[in-house]
Amino acid sequence: MDFDEVAVPAEENAVNPGSPLRVLAEAAAPTTGPDTGTEHPGAVEAPAVSESPTSGPAVSVSPVPQPLAPTVNRSVPIRVIDPGKPMVALTFDDGPKIRTTLPILDTLLAYQSAATFFVVGIQVADNQVALVRMAAEGHEIGNHTFSHVELAGMLPEDQSAELERNQSAVASVIGMPPRLVRPTFGSYDQALRTNVQMPLILWSVDTLDWKYRDPARIVAAVLDSVRDGDIILMHDIYDSTVQALQTLVPELISRGYQLVTVSELAAARGIGLEPGKIFANARH
Ligand code: NI
């Protein structure tokens, strides 16, 4: 398994004509759906992904291998990041999970914002459509191990196997592997730092959304402490987090924050994400 050792320029996360995702989309998916005069002639319509974002698992993904039709939403804007202005990185662990991840993606899309999703490998097969949307809509996808085991204390080869299985699972869906790792439980040891071929991403604001499952409390946890350069920890597997986002995203924007991916945050602040580096915030 190759790990990409190069820090990710922000623009590589966007869908662009030269990206592996676009190549995958054009190669794998015949054009379907009505011609709406799009300026993206290669774009294709995926099965209805976001029409009923809160109505449960309306989207089923066949286990039978078939050409993926990434959702290339024609309304996805090109985001412009001003490195001189405040920004924070929303991060979501433990998904993807269609029922909760898709409405979070809808909220981010509505506010032209991006986030980073640290996905668990075993979740990928049944939730591919969420992963495809993340990639198509400019979000960053990170590695949160294959089976959500704690890496610290494991044999180095077992650590590598957990991470590589995740890399393979993600790459099988979107055509490229993650370039960031969030260690499960925020736990790491020197063996992991030495052997991992990617930066280890922690956080500076912990919403404890997994513990309280209370939208108001999640919102308050962020707004009471957020500062420029924060990395905010949430989980895209809870309804309460979905609800919190609907308040949190517009409020953060109204306070002047740009919502960016982890790699965009690092790049904007001139922070290199070398393999083994611990990155928890870009506060000034
Ligand atoms: Ni986790």
Side-chain angles (χ1 to χ4, degrees):
M1 170 58 64
D2 287 330
F3 292 95
D4 190 338
E5 298 184 4
V6 180
V8 187
E11 58 270 21
E12 281 193 20
N13 293 318
V15 176
N16 61 63
S19 75
L21 177 66
R22 173 53 57 91
V23 171
L24 176 69
E26 292 179 344
T31 299
T32 58
D35 179 1
T36 55
T38 173
E39 59 279 335
H40 304 293
V44 295
E45 288 286 357
V49 170
S50 58
E51 291 181 3
S52 306
T54 59
S55 63
V59 178
S60 62
V61 177
S62 168
V64 178
Q66 58 183 348
L68 286 170
T71 300
V72 180
N73 190 319
R74 297 184 180 101
S75 67
V76 174
I78 296 172
R79 293 180 303 114
V80 177
I81 299 168
D82 184 341
K85 291 184 177 176
M87 64 184 73
V88 294
L90 300 179
T91 65
F92 299 92
D93 290 5
D94 295 359
K97 181 178 173 183
I98 283 175
R99 189 172 62 85
T100 42
T101 304
L102 294 191
I104 287 173
L105 290 171
D106 291 339
T107 299
L108 293 167
L109 181 62
Y111 292 97
Q112 303 178 15
S113 294
T116 303
F117 294 84
F118 291 96
V119 303
V120 176
I122 54 173
Q123 295 285 107
V124 167
D126 290 340
N127 298 278
Q128 294 182 40
V129 70
L131 216 62
V132 169
R133 272 196 62 186
M134 288 173 195
E137 295 174 10
H139 304 291
E140 185 162 33
I141 296 170
N143 184 328
H144 197 47
T145 75
F146 186 76
S147 55
H148 208 270
V149 292
E150 183 170 359
L151 297 171
M154 290 176 71
L155 292 172
E157 55 265 39
D158 293 337
Q159 292 176 339
S160 296
E162 266 290 328
L163 295 172
E164 289 179 10
R165 287 187 75 190
N166 178 296
Q167 300 289 98
S168 297
V170 171
S172 73
V173 176
I174 63 165
M176 54 186 144
R179 295 183 172 95
L180 309 173
V181 171
R182 170 160 284 155
T184 39
F185 314 106
S187 172
Y188 59 89
D189 58 13
Q190 191 55 47
L192 183 64
R193 289 196 68 182
T194 302
N195 294 318
V196 69
Q197 299 298 304
M198 294 177 281
L200 301 175
I201 310 302
L202 301 181
W203 56 86
S204 51
V205 175
D206 188 350
T207 63
L208 296 175
D209 60 340
W210 58 272
K211 187 173 184 180
Y212 296 112
R213 315 283 180 91
D214 176 352
R217 189 159 184 161
I218 297 166
V219 171
V222 175
L223 297 181
D224 289 353
S225 63
V226 66
R227 290 163 52 189
D228 179 29
D230 271 328
I231 296 176
I232 298 167
L233 172 63
M234 289 179 280
H235 298 79
D236 55 322
I237 58 173
Y238 303 116
D239 293 330
S240 44
T241 301
V242 172
Q243 294 173 41
L245 256 285
Q246 293 166 358
T247 301
L248 199 49
V249 169
E251 182 60 26
L252 286 169
I253 291 171
S254 77
R255 294 186 183 200
Y257 291 104
Q258 304 168 95
L259 304 185
V260 301
T261 69
V262 167
S263 288
E264 289 168 348
L265 175 63
R269 295 295 154 80
I271 296 170
L273 294 180
E274 298 85 8
K277 181 183 180 108
I278 307 294
F279 182 46
N281 68 75
R283 286 175 171 175
H284 284 301

